Amino acid sequence: MKIQGIKSVYIILIFLILSKNIKSQSSSDGQLWLNAEFNYVYKVKHLFQDEVSFQSLVFGSPQWYSFSNKLQYEYNINPHFDAITALPLSYTIQSKSLKTFEIRYMIGTRIYFTPTRRLQTKGLIRWENRWSNDNNSDSWDVGNRLRIRGEVVYPLNKNTYYTNNVWYLMGDAEVFLTTKDDIQERFANKTRFRLGAGYRLTYRLRFEAFYACQFSRNTIDNKFDSQNNILEFLFKYYFR
């Protein structure tokens, strides 16, 4: 138990060191993300999820607001793999004169490296096909994006995450990679680090809070030239 706890601390420290080594070159802002997630598990193997989200700039410029809804389906293949497909929709008010709407189709897999241990380690790989339109254009921009994320979860007051009244720590690191022919947008390639804590009250109710630090650049060859500091709050509800 103690060895696994030390390992979780080491992993979190690695996240912090990596984030320190990626320095913002020009701009920095603060954002607030509020998410609510509703889940229905059918016969253990099937998970249906609806996530609604509000994101906003708290400090920095230009001011923007975003509303999104994601419908997701997950199929548990075995203790080590899930298959995932999702359809996220988002509407963003970039300014008084510019509003954008984006449709994404996503497929991917979640990998459980240590499904039976106290320290949970996971991987998440997603491929997204994206369609974006703004109110000043009659055409749609189309592009693709690969997202790769590593995750750790460690329960503090229980031996396992899968129980009630448990506090847990979380950390993850994710990279977003686009092609040259992708949607024309600022800061298309990103690296995001998150650290947070959660509380599972019952099977139905769970609460999580994160601090995320996101670094962005226009292309893989460019330097990271934007840093986003994000506070993220997530409410989860599971139907039986």
Side-chain angles (χ1 to χ4, degrees):
M1 299 298 182
K2 291 183 179 179
I3 293 176
Q4 290 182 352
I6 293 172
K7 286 182 179 179
S8 67
V9 172
Y10 284 163
I11 292 172
I12 291 173
L13 287 175
I14 289 172
F15 286 164
L16 291 174
I17 293 170
L18 288 173
S19 65
K20 288 293 183 181
N21 290 334
I22 304 177
K23 295 182 180 179
S24 173
Q25 299 297 319
S26 62
S27 64
S28 178
D29 64 31
Q31 302 177 17
L32 176 65
W33 295 5
L34 303 175
N35 306 319
E37 187 182 287
F38 303 94
N39 301 273
Y40 176 70
V41 179
Y42 177 69
K43 292 185 177 180
V44 181
K45 291 280 189 179
H46 308 272
L47 173 66
F48 300 90
Q49 181 185 100
D50 184 14
E51 182 181 9
V52 292
S53 177
F54 170 76
Q55 301 177 3
S56 175
L57 191 72
V58 177
F59 65 85
S61 63
Q63 182 65 55
W64 56 265
Y65 304 91
S66 182
F67 306 88
S68 63
N69 183 71
K70 181 180 72 174
L71 299 175
Q72 181 163 302
Y73 167 72
E74 300 183 16
Y75 176 73
N76 180 240
I77 300 172
N78 58 46
H80 288 278
F81 292 96
D82 287 344
I84 305 171
T85 184
L87 183 67
L89 309 174
S90 63
Y91 177 74
T92 304
I93 303 173
Q94 307 277 5
S95 65
K96 291 182 179 180
S97 59
L98 180 62
K99 302 174 180 63
T100 59
F101 179 66
E102 182 176 325
I103 303 172
R104 284 182 279 153
Y105 172 71
M106 181 269 288
I107 58 173
T109 182
R110 180 179 288 106
I111 306 168
Y112 299 89
F113 298 108
T114 56
T116 60
R117 296 184 182 179
R118 182 172 183 176
L119 175 63
Q120 296 283 302
T121 56
K122 310 173 189 177
L124 182 60
I125 303 173
R126 292 175 285 184
W127 177 262
E128 296 179 327
N129 193 243
R130 309 164 66 202
W131 296 267
S132 180
N133 178 263
D134 64 67
N135 60 322
N136 296 322
S137 173
D138 294 329
S139 62
W140 290 78
D141 289 332
V142 181
N144 300 286
R145 181 167 67 185
L146 177 66
R147 300 174 58 172
I148 304 173
R149 185 164 82 188
E151 308 174 359
V152 293
V153 180
Y154 184 77
L156 294 175
N157 60 327
K158 304 282 185 175
N159 291 329
T160 176
Y161 163 77
Y162 301 101
T163 187
N164 295 335
N165 299 305
V166 58
W167 289 94
Y168 51 93
L169 295 177
M170 302 167 292
D172 60 54
E174 184 170 16
V175 293
F176 300 67
L177 300 174
T178 63
T179 63
K180 292 183 179 179
D181 298 326
D182 197 28
I183 294 172
Q184 296 302 308
E185 61 180 342
R186 193 181 182 202
F187 307 134
N189 292 275
K190 305 175 184 177
T191 300
R192 181 186 300 160
F193 300 91
R194 296 193 308 169
L195 289 175
Y199 179 66
R200 172 171 164 159
L201 177 63
T202 64
Y203 170 83
R204 292 180 180 270
L205 293 173
R206 308 170 196 190
F207 308 89
E208 296 177 354
F210 293 93
Y211 164 71
C213 192
Q214 179 174 273
F215 303 91
S216 307
R217 58 188 174 183
N218 290 321
T219 68
I220 295 176
D221 297 329
N222 288 352
K223 294 182 179 180
F224 288 93
D225 51 8
S226 178
Q227 177 180 330
N228 311 119
N229 300 285
I230 303 162
L231 284 179
E232 180 178 0
F233 298 95
L234 176 60
F235 165 76
K236 294 182 178 181
Y237 187 83
Y238 283 76
F239 296 92
R240 288 189 180 275

